[in-house]
Amino acid sequence: MTPIHELLNRIHWDRAFGAAAFRVGYIDRVAGGLVHARLVEPFLHEGEHFSVVLRDEKGEPHEVPLHRIREVRRDDELIWQRPRQPGADPLPLP
């Protein structure tokens, strides 16, 4: 499986691939489950290797650690999903 940081770099640097609409599903502790947000430029900060900037429905930016990302959708098609840990509880959905 492709690591999330490699997928994000491809979205950032591959203009043809990155021209699509991307949504990222991540664990939000406040919401208590999986939350989806838009991936919009610029989402990577120079020198930052552990988080990405996402925008919610209101356009508010959220800095999300890479380890909380669970899935990525390109034009509403699931293209990446973090494998589940054996014995892990199912994710609560809001």
Side-chain angles (χ1 to χ4, degrees):
M1 180 177 86
T2 303
I4 187 62
H5 69 277
E6 289 182 13
L7 176 61
L8 293 172
N9 280 326
R10 180 175 181 206
I11 294 168
H12 181 73
W13 293 107
D14 183 341
R15 294 197 186 272
F17 183 75
F22 289 90
R23 294 188 62 79
V24 175
Y26 67 96
I27 298 295
D28 186 312
R29 291 182 185 172
V30 175
L34 193 64
V35 173
H36 288 88
R38 293 179 294 134
L39 185 63
V40 294
E41 292 286 346
F43 58 87
L44 298 173
H45 293 295
E46 187 175 335
E48 176 57 64
H49 303 287
F50 303 106
S51 65
V52 66
V53 177
L54 304 174
R55 297 207 179 262
D56 64 19
E57 293 79 25
K58 297 177 186 176
E60 296 292 322
H62 296 273
E63 192 164 336
V64 176
L66 297 182
H67 70 271
R68 291 206 183 157
I69 296 175
R70 293 296 180 259
E71 65 181 35
V72 178
R73 294 180 180 273
R74 181 178 188 255
D75 292 333
D76 293 324
E77 178 185 343
L78 183 65
I79 62 165
W80 184 91
Q81 189 170 37
R82 187 177 302 278
R84 301 275 304 144
Q85 296 295 328
D89 293 331
L91 295 175
L93 300 175

